[in-house]
Amino acid sequence: MQATVKKPDSEKEIVLKGIGVSSGVAYGRVFLKPGHEENLVEHAIAPEDIPKEIARFEAALIATRRQIKEFQKQCDPEVGSIFDAHLLILDDRPFIEKVFAGIENQRKNVEAVLYDVARGFIQSLHKVNDNYVRERAADVQDVTRRVFLNLAGHKGSLADLNEKGIIVVANDLTPSEIVSLDKEIAAGIALDLGSPTAHTAILAAKRGIPAVVSLHDISRAVRAGDTILIDESKGIVVVNPSKERREQAFHQAEVRRGIVSRLAKIKTLPAETTDGYRVMLSANIEGPQDVEAVLESGAEGVGLFRTEYFYMEQNKAPSEDEQYEAYREVAKRLAPSPVIIRTLDIGGDKFLPDMDNSWKESNPFMGWRAIRFCLAQPDLFRTQMRAILRASIYGNIKIMYPMISNLDELVRANVIFNQSKKELMDRGLPLNPRIEVGAMIEVPSAAVAADALAPHVRFFSLGTNDLIQYTLAIDRGNERVAYLYEPTHLAIIRLMKHTIDASHHYGIWTGVCGGMASDPLLVPLLLGLGVDELSVTPSSLLIVKDAIRSVSYNACRKIAELSLNSRRETDMENTFRNLAKKIAPEILELAH
């Protein structure tokens, strides 16, 4: 436990400013993620609220007692007996009476009083000259933690939630926790940390859960059961929102949905500029369950199949046959459209469920990640290669390696790829011998050396989120440096232009599958730089196509030329907005 934090006594409307990362408006009761008790909130209570606080404490004791007894029934009797001591603590009258007295005399919320009382008990036990008694301090600490969780309304992990329409509030969430959330249960997400390009934000958007991040201390400013409003378009969370504010927010959301609905008329039209410049417009997916959204969006294929989430959704790494079935299903349903399958991009903030945790690193985004991890785990890599190759006969599958940083990595990956092909052919299994292989360009060294990499692949795909992170030395999950995240930074524009030109020189194409592709304001810039393909979230596809179809290629080239020579990112942002206002003002309504 750490120092307590004062919470405002007032129940008036409180507006917290953050960054909207997943579109939509949500209103509901707060669920505080377990573990936040370490950031304990202390606040004064009115005399008439004393019985209510005591009742909360008693209810939490009853819930904790019931949970421990249920746990004892499920485990070996010898193990279950260990928790008898926990039950005795829950019935310890001196302990309980001290909490009651603290609530009445100090007029503080039960969490603050319980913290002080438990700490006093633990300190006293530590002073006793008897090992057995001293060890009971750990029991008091564990029981107190369970009571805190019940006071906050927790029943277990996020996956165990069953109350519909709640707003998940936390210091941060991992990608696997986002994956475990049921959209019917979680109406919205509000986090202390995070940025628009963190994997948590990307997954929230992918799952269609409204989210605002980088709120700094919302997990300490609200209590379980508070009602809050999330408005992604304004990047705000409102505690105790007024009826007028709620109605206005939902009205604006309805207006935005109306715009998206009207854009449905361009669903089957090509992604080409007013003067006939054509690009490929694809979708990003995480698994076979996303194919329907791809078809509904009018995408021309899949430009990024993030296979790591298929791994993370299971208790252990999927077998070759399980992967083969998943890749085959996607390829068959979308044939003859292309499906670009990115090989396992684990590491950073993404981990396999059955992975040995001993390899965790202090700076994982710069460490053993993506292709580096796969090359060091050749059996795991070959298993995925074989699964993709076997599925390749059912559609237009392509393979893409993530986080290539030098030619050696690319050559070694191709060696394993060719070994996997030969292994399958020796076994007489069919595959597409002409399957195309590409590389993601998301590390500055790869962008600079694009001309050396190009002869070894059939396409590049710019992963702009990581390219920006690594080029500008910005942790994409750190809200304190989020203001430095500049997609239009001169260095980023020049690296992208160099990559695109190198690919064209060697007769291959370059796409963009990072966050920049899904931003309609940046579409003219990307087209002007010469990008051949954009791969976006299915929910962004129509507005991106609207941006493409509203602008001329000639205007795009001028925008790109300006960006390649501009010294101030803010000037270009204004230029992009002014162009959108002129050609398609609805973009400004929908863009972040």
Side-chain angles (χ1 to χ4, degrees):
M1 296 179 184
Q2 298 175 351
T4 58
V5 176
K6 297 288 184 183
K7 182 184 185 298
D9 294 336
S10 174
E11 295 299 323
K12 70 179 182 181
E13 190 177 86
I14 301 170
V15 179
L16 303 173
K17 181 67 178 171
I19 301 173
V21 295
S22 179
S23 63
V25 172
Y27 171 69
R29 294 197 325 122
V30 166
F31 173 87
L32 279 170
K33 177 191 169 187
H36 81 289
E37 72 276 10
E38 293 179 352
N39 298 318
L40 183 65
V41 173
E42 174 187 318
H43 63 93
I45 60 172
E48 59 269 26
D49 289 334
I50 290 174
K52 190 189 302 181
E53 286 298 291
I54 290 176
R56 286 183 63 224
F57 180 49
E58 290 177 325
L61 291 175
I62 292 171
T64 304
R65 189 179 296 108
R66 183 175 63 248
Q67 290 161 2
I68 291 176
K69 287 187 173 181
E70 288 176 355
F71 179 73
Q72 285 181 311
K73 290 178 184 175
Q74 297 169 7
C75 61
D76 181 273
E78 187 174 347
V79 175
S81 65
I82 296 173
F83 293 92
D84 288 342
H86 290 205
L87 292 172
L88 289 174
I89 295 168
L90 288 170
D91 291 329
D92 188 286
R93 291 313 301 176
F95 182 85
I96 295 172
E97 294 295 342
K98 269 186 171 290
V99 176
F100 286 169
I103 294 171
E104 292 173 342
N105 300 331
Q106 300 173 36
R107 293 186 184 175
K108 291 181 181 178
N109 60 312
V110 60
E111 288 91 345
V113 175
L114 176 60
Y115 170 79
D116 290 336
V117 171
R119 184 176 59 175
F121 268 70
I122 291 169
Q123 289 175 343
S124 297
L125 289 170
H126 276 307
K127 293 176 182 176
V128 176
N129 190 25
D130 182 293
N131 288 338
Y132 177 79
V133 175
R134 282 202 303 273
E135 287 171 0
R136 300 288 69 79
D139 292 331
V140 174
Q141 196 163 22
D142 194 10
V143 168
T144 305
R145 181 186 64 82
R146 290 175 181 272
V147 176
F148 269 124
L149 292 177
N150 282 301
L151 283 169
H154 302 314
K155 295 180 179 177
S157 69
L158 294 177
D160 296 326
L161 296 176
N162 55 22
E163 178 184 342
K164 292 186 177 180
I166 59 169
I167 308 293
V168 177
V169 176
N171 181 251
D172 199 7
L173 294 177
T174 65
S176 60
E177 286 176 320
I178 294 284
V179 170
S180 74
L181 284 176
D182 184 334
K183 186 183 173 184
E184 295 296 319
I185 299 295
I189 297 170
L191 304 177
D192 295 338
L193 306 179
S195 72
T197 56
H199 289 123
T200 299
I202 293 170
L203 280 177
K206 179 66 190 60
R207 298 180 71 85
I209 302 175
V212 175
V213 302
S214 191
L215 289 156
H216 305 293
D217 59 358
I218 186 172
S219 68
R220 306 171 77 181
V222 300
R223 292 174 297 185
D226 281 349
T227 53
I228 63 174
L229 173 77
I230 288 181
D231 187 343
E232 171 275 341
S233 67
K234 295 180 179 175
I236 60 172
V237 168
V238 185
V239 185
N240 304 318
S242 66
K243 181 182 177 183
E244 292 72 21
R245 186 184 287 274
R246 297 200 306 269
E247 289 177 346
Q248 184 181 30
F250 280 101
H251 173 71
Q252 286 299 318
E254 188 62 33
V255 170
R256 290 191 288 275
R257 280 194 292 272
I259 294 173
V260 172
S261 179
R262 289 193 294 277
L263 290 177
K265 64 184 180 184
I266 65 172
K267 172 182 170 181
T268 58
L269 299 178
E272 66 179 15
T273 61
T274 56
D275 48 0
Y277 182 79
R278 183 84 157 82
V279 293
M280 185 89 173
L281 188 53
S282 307
N284 298 339
I285 68 170
E286 274 76 54
Q289 72 279 4
D290 298 327
V291 170
E292 201 58 41
V294 174
L295 294 170
E296 289 178 358
S297 70
E300 298 174 85
V302 169
L304 174 62
F305 184 163
R306 299 184 178 99
T307 57
E308 55 273 17
Y309 296 111
F310 180 58
Y311 283 66
M312 293 164 62
E313 289 172 348
Q314 309 193 33
N315 293 327
K316 60 180 181 180
S319 67
E320 178 182 324
D321 284 346
E322 288 174 324
Q323 294 183 64
Y324 159 71
E325 293 292 342
Y327 305 149
R328 183 182 69 165
E329 180 182 345
V330 174
K332 282 184 70 174
R333 293 187 65 187
L334 294 177
S337 299
V339 175
I340 300 177
I341 299 178
R342 182 175 70 183
T343 56
L344 188 60
D345 184 9
I346 212 69
D349 59 353
K350 298 176 289 189
F351 301 95
L352 299 181
D354 59 345
M355 186 65 64
D356 177 7
N357 288 332
S358 63
W359 66 283
K360 284 186 177 178
E361 303 157 297
S362 59
N363 195 352
F365 276 101
M366 304 285 281
W368 206 36
R369 184 189 162 195
I371 196 66
R372 301 170 183 179
F373 174 79
C374 287
L375 290 174
Q377 306 281 327
D379 290 342
L380 186 77
F381 199 27
R382 284 194 187 93
T383 298
Q384 185 177 35
M385 287 285 196
R386 290 194 300 267
I388 297 172
L389 285 164
R390 287 170 56 195
S392 66
I393 62 171
Y394 295 97
N396 185 7
I397 285 180
K398 306 175 192 293
I399 290 181
M400 179 164 68
Y401 308 134
M403 206 181 167
I404 292 290
S405 62
N406 59 50
L407 180 58
D408 180 64
E409 288 176 337
L410 181 53
V411 171
R412 289 170 61 200
N414 277 341
V415 167
I416 292 178
F417 168 74
N418 288 321
Q419 289 173 343
S420 301
K421 281 175 67 175
K422 184 177 184 304
E423 182 183 343
L424 291 175
M425 294 171 76
D426 288 345
R427 289 161 53 190
L429 294 175
L431 56 86
N432 175 10
R434 292 181 294 279
I435 185 171
E436 295 183 6
V437 175
M440 286 199 71
I441 303 298
E442 50 191 341
V443 179
S445 61
V448 172
D451 55 335
L453 303 178
H456 300 269
V457 292
R458 299 291 296 277
F459 64 91
F460 287 148
S461 186
L462 286 155
T464 53
N465 298 341
D466 275 334
L467 183 63
I468 296 168
Q469 169 178 242
Y470 293 131
T471 303
L472 304 184
I474 299 168
D475 178 351
R476 56 194 273 191
N478 186 339
E479 83 285 357
R480 290 184 175 83
V481 294
Y483 72 98
L484 292 171
Y485 193 89
E486 291 289 354
T488 56
H489 191 288
L490 183 60
I492 303 300
I493 304 301
R494 290 183 175 179
L495 285 174
M496 293 177 68
K497 179 62 175 169
H498 178 75
T499 301
I500 294 165
D501 288 349
S503 71
H504 291 172
H505 177 77
Y506 283 91
I508 65 174
W509 57 271
T510 294
V512 179
C513 62
M516 286 181 71
S518 294
D519 187 341
L521 291 175
L522 299 181
V523 164
L525 168 64
L526 298 179
L527 299 187
L529 290 174
V531 161
D532 305 285
E533 183 239 22
L534 298 175
S535 191
V536 306
T537 56
S539 60
S540 302
L541 195 134
L542 285 179
I543 189 65
V544 169
K545 183 183 283 188
D546 183 44
I548 295 170
R549 293 185 57 82
S550 300
V551 69
S552 70
Y553 183 56
N554 187 47
C556 294
R557 288 176 62 89
K558 290 180 180 177
I559 284 281
E561 192 64 31
L562 278 174
S563 298
L564 285 165
N565 294 288
S566 175
R567 296 296 186 270
R568 297 183 60 184
E569 292 78 29
T570 52
D571 291 345
M572 291 314 304
E573 289 173 7
N574 292 332
T575 301
F576 298 145
R577 286 191 168 276
N578 289 335
L579 179 62
K581 186 176 181 180
K582 180 180 177 182
I583 63 172
E586 66 275 10
I587 290 175
L588 296 176
E589 183 66 38
L590 296 179
H592 291 301

